[in-house]
Amino acid sequence: MTPYYDVVVAGGGTAGGPAATQAARLGARTLLVEKNGALGGTTTVAGVSLPGLFHAWGQQVIAGIGWEAVTRSVREAGLRLPDFSRWDLPHHRLQVRVSPAVLAAVLDDTVVGSGAELLLHAIVAEAAWDGTEWRLTLATKDGLHRIRAGAVVDCTGDADVVALAGLARSTRPRRQPGTIMVRLGGYDLAAIDVDAVQAAHDDAVRRGDLLPADLAHNPVAKFLRVRGENAIHVTGVQGGTSRDKTDAEVAGRRTLLRILRFLRRQPGLEQVVIESWAIETGIRESWTIDGHATITLDDYVSGRAWPDALSYSFYPIDVHRPDGDGIDIRPLAYGTVPTIPRAAMIPRGSSRLVVAGRAISGDQEASSAYRVQASSMAMGQSAGVLAARAVDQGADVLDLPLDLIRDDLRAHGAILPGDVVVPPLPTKETS
């Protein structure tokens, strides 16, 4: 007989781990399917080991399963949390530095400890709703395996299951660049003539030995100061198919080699080394679903309180220009805390299918903010409740009473829209 699961979660990245854990903690027989050898996605495999933002204006707005895993990993690794009361600091100073290896191990423990079944090195290859349940085919190292599911959560980041099911998704002609995460070493910045290296860089760009976006249009001095971390742009990449991903990975590593060869020819940088690197080129933007609601820039920057909101999101508008020429960062106005509606997570025409993470329905500017890790963790936990309760109640995810979903989320540590009150902006008289 074909194995049956109440909930199947496709993708074990920032959204998928919390989704599977939450569904299992609600008693659903849950399977998490992940293509890589480690959970955590962008935070671990793609090396962006700075999840955020969990706090807005000094108040915690995202907690629950993702926060539990992140803070546990910080303790296990002997690291420290930022001072979240310093809301006036640049947003990157309030992101939580984690050890990717430790977080991946903690996520294993969190997911398996919840009772969910974990299957790594596998993907969903076929997906169809038969009118009563999902029929899925998994591609594994030992062949194809067919399973059934009462509900599916698509946390692939690219809406892969949505596409396999024949549902609509779209992409933009000008997408944000990807990034290959590295950390460089083997040099003393104080001993380097950065002006000379800058002139050599500019000449290399003119000759075509480097591309203008290779250093994300950063000055050489800044690139060397941050040791290349999160400072490389890989333009023109897409992430929605295996061919797209192959092209992105090859492009990322070619970019890295160009930079390394250039640097090692410069005085003072002859011994530069790559101390660490991520095996995946991180993709910021690929495919987006056609949801029952679409989050626009105005919705996000106004902090629209959607009536069906299940989680907060907090991050500045953060559009990495498609040509690689820097970043368009627009901080939110004081007191603004955007929300994520259930309807943006549900593809039109679907049954018992929920999407969590960057592929939910929104425009490019809004998604540049809500795509980040903490927001995706919160969406994943919401999706886990929606999927588990849809099966438990014998209903579609759009028909579930919101009070039921919100009660479940609060019972498992989540913070819900309406739970947080941001105090008035301090003045000279009140400070």
Side-chain angles (χ1 to χ4, degrees):
M1 179 176 288
T2 305
Y4 171 84
Y5 296 90
D6 296 317
V7 175
V8 170
V9 179
T14 50
T21 300
Q22 179 64 91
R25 286 183 180 177
L26 288 172
R29 186 181 182 198
T30 303
L31 173 67
L32 174 57
V33 181
E34 163 57 30
K35 66 182 175 63
N36 288 310
L39 299 175
T42 299
T43 321
T44 56
V45 181
V48 187
S49 53
L50 294 160
L53 292 169
F54 296 94
H55 293 71
W57 319 116
Q59 311 294 311
Q60 186 160 8
V61 296
I62 295 174
I65 293 167
W67 173 251
E68 292 169 10
V70 165
T71 53
R72 178 183 161 192
S73 78
V74 168
R75 293 192 302 272
E76 296 267 16
L79 302 174
R80 297 176 61 185
L81 295 172
D83 180 359
F84 297 115
S85 69
R86 290 294 312 278
W87 59 265
D88 54 319
L89 292 173
H91 70 279
H92 62 86
R93 296 276 300 276
L94 297 173
Q95 297 181 183
V96 182
R97 183 169 289 277
V98 299
S99 162
V102 174
L103 179 60
V106 167
L107 289 170
D108 289 342
D109 191 51
T110 300
V111 170
V112 174
S114 72
E117 184 178 334
L118 175 61
L119 182 63
L120 301 174
H121 299 292
I123 62 170
V124 176
E126 294 177 325
W129 174 256
D130 70 3
T132 58
E133 60 186 18
W134 282 92
R135 301 281 178 157
L136 307 173
T137 301
L138 305 182
T140 74
K141 287 175 64 64
D142 49 310
L144 301 177
H145 298 274
R146 289 174 176 79
I147 61 173
R148 301 174 295 132
V152 172
V153 182
D154 187 338
C155 296
T156 61
D158 304 314
D160 289 342
V161 177
V162 172
L164 290 170
L167 300 166
R169 64 175 185 172
S170 61
T171 191
R172 301 173 183 95
R174 285 174 53 79
R175 295 178 296 275
Q176 298 176 76
T179 286
I180 184 166
M181 290 291 288
V182 300
R183 184 167 180 81
L184 303 176
Y187 61 89
D188 177 6
L189 183 58
I192 295 170
D193 183 347
V194 293
D195 291 336
V197 180
Q198 183 68 59
H201 166 274
D202 296 345
D203 186 54
V205 170
R206 283 191 291 271
R207 293 196 312 269
D209 294 341
L210 289 175
L211 298 181
D214 284 354
L215 307 191
H217 290 260
N218 286 307
V220 165
K222 178 181 178 182
F223 181 85
L224 293 175
R225 185 174 68 252
V226 300
R227 307 269 164 181
E229 190 172 35
N230 204 10
I232 298 173
H233 276 168
V234 185
T235 59
V237 298
Q238 169 67 294
T241 69
S242 292
R243 174 50 55 196
D244 291 336
K245 290 285 287 184
T246 299
D247 293 344
E249 307 297 7
V250 171
R253 290 190 281 272
R254 282 178 177 164
T255 301
L256 185 56
L257 268 183
R258 280 198 301 271
I259 294 170
L260 182 65
R261 289 166 178 163
F262 164 75
L263 292 176
R264 290 177 67 88
R265 291 195 297 267
Q266 310 310 313
L269 291 166
E270 296 91 346
Q271 303 303 315
V272 68
V273 294
I274 298 170
E275 293 181 343
S276 64
W277 71 290
I279 62 170
E280 273 198 5
T281 295
I283 302 296
R284 289 185 173 88
E285 177 180 9
S286 59
W287 294 89
T288 301
I289 67 169
D290 177 20
H292 287 266
T294 297
I295 305 170
T296 67
L297 172 65
D298 288 343
D299 294 327
Y300 196 86
V301 301
S302 68
R304 177 177 177 180
W306 294 85
D308 61 341
L310 295 177
S311 63
Y312 284 116
S313 174
F314 186 71
Y315 208 75
I317 300 303
D318 186 48
V319 180
H320 292 240
R321 295 186 177 95
D323 62 1
D325 188 7
I327 311 171
D328 176 11
I329 297 179
R330 284 168 265 163
L332 299 173
Y334 181 83
T336 301
V337 188
T339 66
I340 303 295
R342 169 174 62 177
M345 301 167 64
I346 313 301
R348 291 183 185 275
S350 68
S351 297
R352 293 197 192 169
L353 175 61
V354 191
V355 176
R358 70 172 184 237
I360 70 168
S361 186
D363 66 23
Q364 187 176 55
E365 291 168 298
S367 66
S368 75
Y370 66 63
R371 66 178 171 81
V372 297
Q373 291 137 302
S375 300
S376 293
M377 291 174 188
M379 283 186 253
Q381 186 167 353
S382 298
V385 173
L386 288 167
R389 286 305 182 199
V391 175
D392 176 63
Q393 300 289 311
D396 191 53
V397 288
L398 276 175
D399 298 328
L400 292 167
L402 287 168
D403 286 346
L404 172 67
I405 304 306
R406 289 167 175 155
D407 287 347
D408 281 336
L409 286 168
R410 286 193 181 99
H412 290 84
I415 297 172
L416 275 290
D419 291 352
V420 174
V421 177
V422 178
L425 182 65
T427 64
K428 290 183 178 179
E429 290 76 16
T430 60
S431 61

